[in-house]
Amino acid sequence: MSDIEKIRKERKRWEDEELAPRLKKFNLEKPVTSFSTPADLPEHDFLGKVGFPGEYPFTAGNASVEFWKANGRIAALFGFRPDWGGTRGVGKYGGFGTAEDYRDYLIRMHSMGRTGGPNMAFDLATQCGYDSDSEEAAGEVGRVGVAIDSFRDFAVIYEPYTGKIDIDKQPSNFTINAPCVVILAMYYVLAKKRGIDPKLLHGTPQNDILKEFIARGTYIYPPRQSLRLFKDSLVFMRANMPKFNVNSIGGYHIREAGATRIQDLAFSFANAAAYLSAGVDAGLDINDFAPMFTYNAFGGSMEIYQEIAFHRASRRMYARLLKETFGAVNPKAMIIRQPVSAHIGCSSTTLQRPLNNWIRAVVGGVAAGMTGAIPAAFPPWDEPLGLGHSQEATQMQFDATRILMYETGLTDVQDPWAGSYFMESLTDRIEAEALAEMARIDGMGGAVAAIESGYMQRAVAKSAYEKQKRVEAQEDLVVGVNCFNGPLEQDVRINTAVEPTYDPARMATAEERQVAKLKALKRGRDNKAVASLLNTLKDHAKDEGKNLMPDICDCVENDCTLQEICDVMREVFGVYSPVKL
Amino acid sequence: MSEDRKIRVLIAKPGLDGHERGARIIAYGLRDAGFEVIYTGLRQTPAEIARAAVQEDVDLVGLSILSGAHLSLTRKVLDRLSEMNASDIPVIVGGVVPPEDAETLASMGVAGVFTAGTPVSAVADFIRAQIAKKTD
Amino acid sequence: MASVSWDRLVDGVLSGDVRSLARLITRVENREPGWQEAMKALYPASGKAAVVGITGSPGAGKSTLTNAVAGLFAAQGRKIGVIAVDPSSPFSGGALLGDRLRMRESAVHPDVFIRSMATRGALGGLCQGARDVARIMAAFGKDLILIETVGVGQDEVEVVKAADCVMVVLTPGQGDGIQALKAGIMEIADIYVVNKADRDGADEVVADVLGMLSIAGGEGSPVLKTSAVTGAGIAELAEAVLAGIGRAKNRETWLRERVKAEILSLMENEILNSLVGKFGKNGALEKAVSGILDGKSDPYTAVEALLPGLSEAASGDGRR
């Protein structure tokens, strides 16, 4: 009898003699816990499925030594604050009001030593391709990010970035998708005007339009045409801005919109496959351009084992996808480059007794640490209050992360779960389920077709509703929400102050000032040139073989507005009409 | 059948905010509570919402707003409804709404404000009570 | 909200008041007492409008197409009513009515009035309900009323019976499209639309439809390609719709059949409702159900018992 057979036999005995009587005693229909044995992992191929950190299939981690681990001590002794940004990184995600307002904010940050590159949030009008003077923009201008109508706005933001922190030395991040091509063109034109070789530019745009149809909702054009614009940006950047990342693919938004873990994984990889195929179809070498892809984050949850297995599975799946499906040989093309790993996700936080979110975030940090990432205790506990993160909550978030990093030894081990019968079989299961879902999407014709038909959107909406029903039926328990919420419980609060990032007086007048600026721009520019460039763009938009980036660069340089550029493409591409639920 | 009259509600997202999870959950949940839910999706202008509310003769309008623009957008929807002589249609708001703003919304005439963690069943009960109050 | 009288609502509809129109529709849809009187009052003013049925499988793009056609007709100065039908949940009785979502462009036009309707699974089906709503819209002054159907099931055929012109919407790559035709829609279709024609396979679908029409002797029905997204083919479709309406008005026997069908459908509703009301209230229906479940009776005997004299009447020589 083999060892595995012996274990199976023993397990049967254990179930009958030990487990069954206990279940009967407690009146349980089935076990409330699980226990794994080598029989759950009968032919575990360690080298094929796990391997060494930094080597294919990357299950055990992207690198044998991570940058942040190598520099961990120095960061501690130096007192590094992740929200300040440094000469190597971007600053805190933000943006508000007009370009002038945001510029002045950045100058203030610089004076405090927070010299990271701009990590730009755009207002919703900009994200949806509307100028500040449009009807759609009314009330939205400068609200959740900075308003950008033209290259002149964009250039204003960069006024403080000169000398040691000029754009060839500092990265920029742009959280924008549908009009991403316009913002990239602005950055390219800015470099040219400053006499900087665009090949030196680095940074990351979000540029992940497909997930906007599934979650988040800042789409403009139909999926197919949106993917064409992505392709144009990819081809242009590969040739002209090779150090600039192409995108930041997110499963995070999909999960936050309600997707299950499997949908998160399968949909974001199906999207990634669509982007990768676009590059291959355009004649680019997968080994050259795939390393320009980054990942924003996948979603998270409080289910710590599941999230750890998820990240192990995701690394392996991506490596295999790149190697086996796309034929990549460059290991750099096979890794998921992402700033964070496991976490709990904002939707795990509760408005009820919000300080408890600190504990929740720490659980996410532990999971992150066990998957080889910085054990970030994200998000700050006051996230669901919707008032912006307070200084206190941010401090507590950083300290929780630091305690995990420096006091617990959590990050001393690479892939501590490797070889666990339980974790390895869970990793296999998540991988298998996600692959099955991806095969289903493939059968529909890929991510674009699955979005056109509304499959992904409906699947996510249904999952969100199922989750809600489970919470309302007290199947899923959430402390303070559907249990332990009686009068005996005490709501613990602490005093907090939200850093006055945004000057309310300036916010109040932002729309008016922005619209006035736009009027002046439209009066003062060479309107003949504008009309002619927009016409050319329109003609070229009709020809799928034409890369539109050079035309958009010309438009941007000659003061065409963001909406004018988007409108021309709206005319040719049409606009996306959402599917019924 | 006709004794318990069907309740019709409009669920809409004004403004450009694309976070649809809450609105979709409410739409599904109210359908399963037996309501007829007209779901107009993202990026609705206040005028479009008011027109839809009138044409569909809904008993109540639910707005979902997560961009922080709840005060100005709700104000505009109420104004448009009033211009169409439809101020009698109650409006509720769901989303990330700080307590002070909830009070401001109430003073504008908003019938109810619902934040994260509210069970759909509670929203359904609230709507039934609103309509019962109005019919009496 | 029984506060507003039927008379005031009828006057409101006839004088073009939008809120009265919307409210009267609700009350007729709910079959609130007095609805027949209101319909009688509106009937004389409802004769001029034409009704267009738009049917096809879910996902064929019916809403988007309805939106495009409605927008075009409105731009020509016609006053348009749209009835968008979605299924009611058989479990909760609720419904998610989402067609408006895809009709934004036309919805903003002041002369377009869109009303979403749930099938409600009520006795008598949706056909009469949609017919009533169309009639109210006509009395309000709409010239053209588009009824967009659910896209599945027998209701399709029923709804479009009320229409002067029926278009069936198909798409490339939708294997069940042609299947749907075979299920009976074909006999009532005046126009075939192959939507999403910018996609591969549109010409194959056109060929399939033409082939089927030639076998069934339905040549002459136009088969058009459209793309609701780009607007291609919409103008041609609108022309075909107007032509289809023109043809309908000349079909006298068909008109007679339609009126007869409506009378029968209203009678059926009335009879069924009153019977169900009667036997439901006095418990006879539940008693009959129990009898059958207990094995003491069968459905045929139960009906005979509930409806004395029915079998004689059905046999054709019921004597008094």
Side-chain angles (χ1 to χ4, degrees), chain A residues 468-523:
Chain A
Q468 174 75 15
K469 283 202 285 193
R470 286 199 304 275
V471 170
E472 290 194 24
Q474 287 180 300
E475 282 171 43
D476 292 0
L477 294 174
V478 185
V479 173
V481 174
N482 64 357
C483 59
F484 304 108
N485 49 1
L488 293 177
E489 311 296 338
Q490 197 178 335
D491 189 2
V492 183
R493 296 273 174 159
I494 62 168
N495 290 328
T496 56
V498 175
E499 195 173 10
T501 317
Y502 310 141
D503 177 355
R506 290 187 92 160
M507 274 294 259
T509 59
E511 184 161 337
E512 197 184 314
R513 284 180 287 124
Q514 186 67 17
V515 171
K517 253 197 314 174
L518 186 54
K519 260 196 191 133
L521 173 92
K522 285 182 179 173
R523 241 181 282 124

Side-chain angles (χ1 to χ4, degrees), chain C residues 208-221:
Chain C
D208 284 353
V209 174
L210 288 173
M212 233 173 39
L213 287 175
S214 68
I215 295 167
E219 294 107 320
S221 300

Side-chain angles (χ1 to χ4, degrees), chain A residues 93-96 102 119-123 127 144-147 173-175:
Chain A
Y93 177 58
F96 77 105
Y102 184 42
N119 187 359
M120 272 185 225
F122 298 89
D123 70 8
Q127 290 188 55
V144 302
V146 63
N173 282 10
F174 308 124
T175 298

Side-chain angles (χ1 to χ4, degrees), chain C residues 75 95 126 240 275 282:
Chain C
L126 177 69
L275 288 179
N282 68 15

Side-chain angles (χ1 to χ4, degrees), chain C residues 273-293:
Chain C
N273 276 326
S274 74
L275 288 179
V276 170
K278 185 176 156 202
F279 296 131
K281 268 202 191 103
N282 68 15
L285 189 58
E286 287 306 316
K287 228 170 99 190
V289 171
S290 303
I292 295 165
L293 290 178

